[in-house]
Amino acid sequence: MSHETIALHDLASLGQRALVKLGVEVQAAAETCAALMAAERAGIPSHGFARLPYYLDQLVSGKLNAHARPSVSQRGAVVNVDADSGLAFPTVQRGLDRGIALAQEFGIVSVAVSHSHHFGMAGYYTEQAARQGLLCLAFSNGPAAMAPWGGNAPLYGTNPVAFASPREQGEPLVIDLSLSEVARGKIMLASQKKEAIPLGWAIDRQGNPTQDADAALAGSMAPAGGAKGAALALMVELLTAGLTGSHFGFQASSFFSAEGEPPHIAQLLLLLNPAFFSAGYLQHSELLFRAMLEQPGVRLPGERRQALARQHGETLELPATLLEQLRLRAG
């Protein structure tokens, strides 16, 4: 596959023009592209601009609401944001901005996003909060990809979980993971190449472990950590879709298809102000980080992605076919 180098500002402009052309507000388009850019710079292209054509197709079909007007309401320290079937990025950003401000007053704030869509790299949001001195947890459910433990039919999404903590000096600590054993994209790639997959990645329709990628795609992703991962995925379903009345994984339509009803999945962000708990959190947490780093081969979560982002400079390499498609869509 041939690649092409493009300046970051040109890529952002392409994406924004393609979105605005379909009716998305300029600010919402900019926030969407900012999140996609962060994933590209962190070395996670699966959550970057490769997703944009799918969003554009869904904006055309109406599965995504191009003219969404997210609504925000607050009750105590709970912020509820209804995405109005639109792009998740500007909606989650709006809730996060409100939550960060409120955490200075309440100490603990939750931001619950309903009727939402794919929100990309979960750590993108937690890291923003950490840079404002807060601890942050983020959860999202998604279309069904994993069966409950002991079952064979997918009910849960791969349900990403992210956490970030500020540090006394330097970059925040960022943990960002999904609850499946591997990314579904790895199995899709093996299927395209007609290659076997390792045991433990997935099960077939009958619930049996499989090394056949096609059988895995027709079956279910394996949860990370076996029964423990499946239990965590259930927890995320309840913290997101359960609390907001949105779709559980088995009710949600695909992020990759333009057909069908909106996925209407959900996100939950929890923000904690360490100053409300005890004095000296930043200094105290460094005791643990230093003890970790004293061991050869240990690095703090998030360091590799942050290093990649710093190294990228002002350009990116993307598949030439993707850029050609974006140029056509941007007009």
Side-chain angles (χ1 to χ4, degrees), residues 175-191:
I175 297 169
D176 188 345
L177 51 90
S178 67
L179 294 177
S180 57
E181 185 64 32
V182 298
R184 187 174 174 83
K186 289 188 176 182
I187 298 179
M188 293 172 69
L189 185 60
S191 173

Side-chain angles (χ1 to χ4, degrees), residues 134-204:
L134 305 174
L135 285 79
C136 182
L137 280 157
F139 308 94
S140 181
N141 74 327
M146 293 197 302
W149 191 249
N152 64 332
L155 294 182
Y156 314 142
T158 54
N159 294 7
V161 175
F163 169 81
S165 167
R167 293 191 62 194
E168 191 172 20
Q169 293 181 340
E171 302 285 322
L173 176 141
V174 182
I175 297 169
D176 188 345
L177 51 90
S178 67
L179 294 177
S180 57
E181 185 64 32
V182 298
R184 187 174 174 83
K186 289 188 176 182
I187 298 179
M188 293 172 69
L189 185 60
S191 173
Q192 292 166 9
K193 293 182 176 180
K194 306 300 181 185
E195 294 176 351
I197 60 172
L199 284 173
W201 280 17
I203 57 176
D204 62 21

Side-chain angles (χ1 to χ4, degrees), residues 40-297:
E40 294 284 356
R41 288 170 56 82
I44 311 173
S46 62
H47 284 13
F49 281 86
R51 292 268 182 166
L52 188 53
Y54 296 105
Y55 303 150
L56 297 173
D57 287 344
Q58 291 174 49
L59 288 165
V60 170
S61 72
K63 189 173 183 177
L64 268 169
N65 181 5
H67 307 286
R69 296 292 183 269
S71 60
V72 181
S73 61
Q74 180 186 342
R75 185 175 182 184
V78 177
V79 177
N80 287 294
V81 190
D82 190 315
D84 192 25
S85 306
L87 290 157
F89 304 100
T91 303
V92 176
Q93 190 66 53
R94 189 171 175 182
L96 176 64
D97 291 345
R98 173 77 72 91
I100 288 173
L102 288 173
Q104 310 304 326
E105 178 182 356
F106 292 109
I108 299 179
V109 174
S110 65
V111 178
V113 182
S114 60
H115 303 113
S116 191
H117 199 274
H118 180 251
F119 81 151
M121 187 173 65
Y124 174 69
Y125 307 97
T126 62
E127 184 170 347
Q128 289 183 56
R131 292 186 185 279
Q132 299 298 317
L134 305 174
L135 285 79
C136 182
L137 280 157
F139 308 94
S140 181
N141 74 327
M146 293 197 302
W149 191 249
N152 64 332
L155 294 182
Y156 314 142
T158 54
N159 294 7
V161 175
F163 169 81
S165 167
R167 293 191 62 194
E168 191 172 20
Q169 293 181 340
E171 302 285 322
L173 176 141
V174 182
I175 297 169
D176 188 345
L177 51 90
S178 67
L179 294 177
S180 57
E181 185 64 32
V182 298
R184 187 174 174 83
K186 289 188 176 182
I187 298 179
M188 293 172 69
L189 185 60
S191 173
Q192 292 166 9
K193 293 182 176 180
K194 306 300 181 185
E195 294 176 351
I197 60 172
L199 284 173
W201 280 17
I203 57 176
D204 62 21
R205 285 181 182 273
Q206 288 70 46
N208 302 312
T210 182
Q211 291 184 280
D212 185 311
D214 292 334
L217 291 173
S220 171
M221 305 285 292
K228 295 178 182 179
L232 289 172
L234 170 58
M235 176 191 78
V236 172
E237 292 284 347
L238 295 173
L239 285 172
T240 55
L243 282 177
T244 64
S246 301
H247 282 166
F248 292 116
F250 73 94
Q251 298 173 303
S253 60
S254 172
F255 289 151
F256 296 102
S257 169
E259 289 74 43
E261 296 298 314
H264 279 172
I265 51 96
Q267 286 91 27
L268 180 75
L269 286 77
L270 299 176
L271 300 106
L272 297 89
N273 187 336
F276 278 66
F277 292 81
S278 66
Y281 167 80
L282 293 178
Q283 295 78 20
H284 188 55
S285 59
E286 286 299 323
L287 293 175
L288 175 58
F289 301 150
R290 283 197 295 271
M292 293 168 64
L293 294 172
E294 285 172 0
Q295 299 187 29

